[in-house]
Structures are given as structure tokens and as C-alpha cells.
Amino acid sequence: MKFADLGLSDELLQAVEAAGYTEPTPIQAEAIPPFLMMKDVLGIAQTGTGKTASFVLPMIDVLSHGRRRARMPRSLILEPTRELAAQVAENFEKYGVNHDLKMALLIGGVQMGEQVKALEKGVDVLIATPGRLMDLFERGKILLTGCELLVIDEADRMLDMGFIPDIEFICDKLPTTRQTMLFSATMPAAIERLAKKFLDNPKRIEVSRAASTNDNIQQNKVMVAPRKKQDVLRSLLREDDMTTAIVFSNRKTTVRDLAKALNRDGFKAGEIHGDIDQNTRNAELQRFKDGVINILVASDVAARGLDIKGVSHVFNYDTPWHPDDYVHRIGRTGRAGAKGKAFTFVTSADAEAIENVEKLTGMAIPVYSMDSGTRADTKGRKPMVDKPKSQDADKPKSDEPKAERPKRERNRKPKAETVAPEPKQVSEEQADPVAEKTVKAETSEQKPAPKDDGEWNGPVPSFLDISAS
């Protein structure tokens, strides 16, 4: 099937061809025709399937006829993050080059004044994050009564970020006769309820099993001790086939520290996380796209929707807390038919998290063995590193009784020379004087009492048995 078979206008087909595309992806082929027929659409598609174009392209044609009015956008696209909103705006600029459409981008982290000016002039397409849209709406700077089209993108991510109440509020302010499209990678119960409430007999499209991963991505998990993470990451980044990589961490502080450490080690790394203002985030993304840096260390703010060509590797420096985030993180590679690799670092504390990931994706992620000698066992325990064999390794183990080892340990500490049991040191079951006599009797039977030199040389009673380590 070709884009020309979907019913798009000649002007739009020219823009699509100029962008280098001739054949639609499955989600595009199934979503565009019903959209052009003014039907509601419920799309379930994993990341990297081209769903952004599946609503941008038909919206351009539908909005090509009509008149814009001040403060009353004709269409609204809701995105969970600034980066996703900015990417959708780039798609409209690219594909709408032959159409006279005005667009406004409402996102946090930038001056509100310019956004208000754009609304005052009238816009055909309003792309917004819920927070900034709610802010302007409550200030009376925007009216939603003229909105003909609504797109709710990354609905499951909206749920994770707590935006569902805001979305419900916004939908209640829109005309009831609008056309609505909702896209989500997964369909939890809350999203199903949202779709039933705000979509009218939608065309349901599912191009891939929810939460599945891309077959073009070679997935690996690396069993590693926390203190060895940076060493293992540096080793993997130096592999010959690594060209560009995104390294994900669960914490913003780790993102900052890791980016600095990689730059100190001679890598070209940038960082992006929620504490960086929007202009700086955009600049870092542009540096990454332009090849000025080839490693981007990021928090989950960058996990969804970013379409950066040529990312060869994704590293989960931290196993994601939510299994859905795993799918979206590794989806930054292996896009548009290209091959990619994903490595997830797993410590002993991540056993449950990686198990949840494997349950969601329906696959056991293979364990990657490091050439440096790190051995990983498949049960999620800490890795074992081969140690050099000592000269005494072949000597038989000492036949000393266990009681002698704690004795020597105590001898290293002058204050602990005398450890004879006293009533205040014993546990409750030893508090009984009869029990104390029994212990002493057993001690005398097991080993003759040595010369009284002020030290305890008998077997250690259970209530005093301590580790020698």
C-alpha cells in the first residue's frame, strides 16, 4: 500500500514524498482512512510505529478548510511531555509545508507571553501539555468551545503522570460533537474507562500486542554490582558497533553525575532531565541529533516519543521501576526497520523489577556475559568476579573447632578480651540459672577447661555465637 491509496490530498502527498516516505506503517494505513471519514479512533500501538503521522497527516487535510478565530483553537493535541509536544509540532511543520495552517505550542519551561500572542492571532492546531493548558484556561486566555478535533496521545503515560483528572476536565469543556482520537501503548482499565467516556463508537486499531517489544532490538540484561555499573557501562560504550547511545537512569541526580563522569572519561555525553529548563533541553537534543555528542544520559522524561534517527544502543543504567517504561526506553533504538541493541543493568535489588519486565514483555531477557571476566547467574543475584588464586588455596582447611575463630576475632580488640557470659548479657531463655548451669555442664563435657588465663576458650554458646567477618 502507498500513501496515495489512503485518500490524502496531493499537496500533502508531495510533502510526505519530500520527507522521504512512500509507504505507510500499519498504524498509519489503518488509522488515516477512518479519521478522514470523521470517525473516532482508538489506537493501540507500541512506540516507534509511526503513530504521530497517523494523526498529523489526516488533521492537516481536515483542517485545510475552515477559518481560525482568536483564542479559539480549531483542534487540540494533548501530549504528556514537552519533548513529545515539540516533536508533534515538528511533524506539522514538515508535512504542512504546502498548507496555510497556524500552530501554537503550549508547554511549560518557556515564556507564556509568546504563547498568548499566538493564541490571540488564532490557531488551527494547538499542541499542549495538560499543565500549561490548564494554566492558560484558568487565566481566561483560551476558549475550547470551537475545538473540532481532539487527540489524546500516550494516554497510558498520562495515567502514570497523574494527568487523567486534567484530561477529563478539558474534555468536559470541549464540544460534544467533536472528533476524537486516543492513542496508547497499553490499555489499562483506567484508559479503557476514559475511552468509553469520551469516544463515540470508535474504530479500534491494534497493530501490535500491547507492551510488546520491537523484534529489531537485541535485548540483554547485565548482572552487575552497583559499584561496578560505571565500569561496565564504559566497557560497553567502547564496543566497535556503538555509534550513538541513550543511557537511562531512574534518578535525576544519577543522570547529572553519570554525564559528568562520562565526559571526564573522554566520552562526548550530554544530559536531559526534568530539572533542566526547556531551552537547554532542546539544545541538548539538537546537539545529539547533530552528532556534536553521541551519548545522551536521560531520565524517563525522554523515554517516550523522541524520534532520533540512528540510535544504535540503549542502556538502562537502572532497571526501570515500571515495566512499561522498559518498553518505551528501548524503543529509542531499532526504529524504522533499523537494528539496535538494549542493555539493562540488573543488581540484586532489581530482581523483582526485571521479573515484572519479563512478565510484561512475555520473554526471558538473555543474560549478557562481559568479556572482562564478570560472570552473571540467571537468578538475578550479584555478579561474581574471578579473583586470583592465592598461594595457600591448595592447602587443606584447618580442623580448628568453630569456637576458636570467634576467640581470635575478639583478641584483635583489647576491650573484648573477656567475653564470659554474664547475667546481663544473656538472652531471655538463658536468664534461668538452671539453664546457665546446663550450659556450663555441656561446656565442660565437650572440652577440658584450659588454664585460667582470663580468656574464654570453650565452645561459644548459641547466644554468643557471632560472625568472624
Side-chain angles (χ1 to χ4, degrees):
M1 179 180 286
K2 303 292 184 181
F3 274 106
D5 301 324
L6 301 181
L8 300 171
S9 66
D10 291 339
E11 294 84 0
L12 192 55
L13 291 174
Q14 291 173 10
V16 171
E17 185 177 355
Y21 300 106
T22 57
E23 296 183 1
T25 64
I27 186 66
Q28 293 164 3
E30 293 196 46
I32 290 176
F35 194 114
L36 292 174
M37 296 171 65
M38 307 307 293
K39 293 183 178 180
D40 287 1
V41 174
L42 175 60
I44 306 169
Q46 65 186 37
T47 186
T49 55
K51 63 180 173 58
T52 301
S54 70
F55 62 82
V56 168
L57 294 177
M59 283 183 74
I60 291 174
D61 267 354
V62 170
L63 295 171
S64 62
H65 306 287
R67 182 173 62 89
R68 48 185 173 264
R69 289 174 288 180
R71 296 196 300 165
M72 295 182 65
R74 299 175 57 205
S75 65
L76 172 63
I77 301 173
L78 292 174
E79 295 287 346
T81 66
R82 306 168 187 177
E83 285 72 23
L84 277 171
Q87 180 181 309
V88 173
E90 290 177 1
N91 274 261
F92 267 102
E93 291 177 350
K94 178 169 58 177
Y95 298 126
V97 64
N98 299 323
H99 291 76
D100 179 25
L101 296 176
K102 298 297 181 182
M103 176 189 63
L105 186 61
L106 298 187
I107 57 177
V110 297
Q111 292 295 328
M112 191 179 294
E114 293 299 319
Q115 298 174 346
V116 173
K117 288 180 181 179
L119 290 171
E120 290 289 348
K121 294 178 182 178
V123 297
D124 299 288
V125 182
L126 179 62
I127 307 166
T129 52
R132 179 53 63 95
L133 179 61
M134 292 283 288
D135 191 3
L136 287 176
F137 182 83
E138 291 172 353
R139 292 168 183 256
K141 301 295 184 181
I142 185 172
L143 300 173
L144 299 176
T145 53
C147 186
E148 308 165 5
L149 300 173
L150 170 67
V151 175
I152 304 172
D153 195 18
E154 299 279 358
D156 53 347
R157 183 63 168 170
M158 297 277 200
L159 176 65
D160 292 341
M161 298 175 71
F163 285 144
I164 297 301
D166 291 345
I167 292 174
E168 291 178 335
F169 177 86
I170 292 168
C171 289
D172 286 335
K173 303 302 179 183
L174 297 172
T176 56
T177 55
R178 67 179 183 273
Q179 182 182 5
T180 305
M181 299 185 77
L182 186 148
F183 290 93
S184 184
T186 60
M187 288 299 292
I191 302 303
E192 290 279 7
R193 289 193 297 268
L194 188 72
K196 289 179 181 179
K197 184 176 180 180
F198 294 111
L199 274 66
D200 181 21
N201 191 26
K203 170 70 174 178
R204 187 183 180 103
I205 300 168
E206 186 169 359
V207 300
S208 179
R209 185 177 61 84
S212 63
T213 51
N214 194 329
D215 291 337
N216 290 329
I217 303 172
Q218 178 185 323
Q219 301 175 59
N220 306 274
K221 60 184 177 185
V222 183
M223 317 309 292
V224 61
R227 65 182 181 276
K228 294 291 185 181
K229 277 187 174 183
Q230 286 196 22
D231 294 337
V232 174
L233 178 63
R234 282 191 291 265
S235 177
L236 291 172
L237 287 173
R238 291 190 175 103
E239 288 191 349
D240 293 338
D241 61 345
M242 199 288 290
T243 55
T244 55
I246 301 179
V247 182
F248 286 108
S249 174
N250 293 341
R251 297 178 176 85
K252 293 178 284 188
T253 53
T254 306
V255 172
R256 288 192 291 264
D257 295 342
L258 186 56
K260 291 177 182 177
L262 290 175
N263 282 306
R264 284 196 302 267
D265 293 333
F267 295 98
K268 297 178 180 179
E271 62 183 271
I272 176 173
H273 52 78
D275 285 348
I276 296 179
D277 65 81
Q278 187 61 38
N279 291 333
T280 304
R281 286 158 74 171
N282 291 341
E284 285 290 87
L285 287 172
Q286 196 59 48
R287 291 175 66 212
F288 188 61
K289 292 178 180 179
D290 294 341
V292 178
I293 57 176
N294 68 334
I295 300 170
L296 186 65
V297 188
S299 62
D300 280 311
V301 72
R304 299 190 179 219
L306 291 183
D307 188 5
I308 303 173
K309 294 182 178 179
V311 176
S312 64
H313 288 62
V314 166
F315 295 92
N316 289 316
Y317 189 78
D318 298 317
T319 301
W321 291 319
H322 302 292
D324 284 347
D325 289 335
Y326 174 84
V327 177
H328 293 281
R329 284 183 182 185
I330 71 170
R332 300 310 98 212
T333 187
R335 301 175 74 85
K339 299 292 184 180
K341 292 183 179 181
F343 294 87
T344 300
F345 292 1
V346 181
T347 68
S348 58
D350 299 322
E352 182 178 355
I354 197 65
E355 182 181 349
N356 291 335
V357 167
E358 292 177 332
K359 285 181 180 178
L360 181 70
T361 58
M363 66 171 289
I365 303 172
V367 176
Y368 184 85
S369 298
M370 298 294 297
D371 294 336
S372 60
T374 301
R375 296 199 310 266
D377 87 301
T378 58
K379 295 183 180 179
R381 293 190 289 266
K382 288 184 179 180
M384 301 171 59
V385 180
D386 289 333
K387 296 181 179 180
K389 196 174 184 180
S390 66
Q391 295 179 354
D392 299 330
D394 294 328
K395 291 182 179 181
K397 292 183 179 179
S398 172
D399 291 327
E400 294 179 278
K402 182 179 179 181
E404 291 297 312
R405 292 196 295 272
K407 168 191 166 183
R408 290 202 305 270
E409 183 68 15
R410 290 192 295 273
N411 286 342
R412 295 192 188 105
K413 299 180 181 180
K415 293 183 180 180
E417 289 180 357
T418 301
V419 293
E422 296 179 4
K424 64 179 179 180
Q425 294 175 325
V426 300
S427 58
E428 292 182 2
E429 62 268 21
Q430 305 297 339
D432 187 349
V434 176
E436 183 177 351
K437 293 178 181 179
T438 302
V439 172
K440 290 181 178 180
E442 290 175 353
T443 301
S444 61
E445 289 176 3
Q446 292 177 10
K447 186 176 179 180
K451 182 181 178 181
D452 186 8
D453 57 1
E455 293 185 351
W456 176 263
N457 291 314
V460 179
S462 61
F463 59 88
L464 288 178
D465 193 9
I466 60 175
S467 172
S469 59

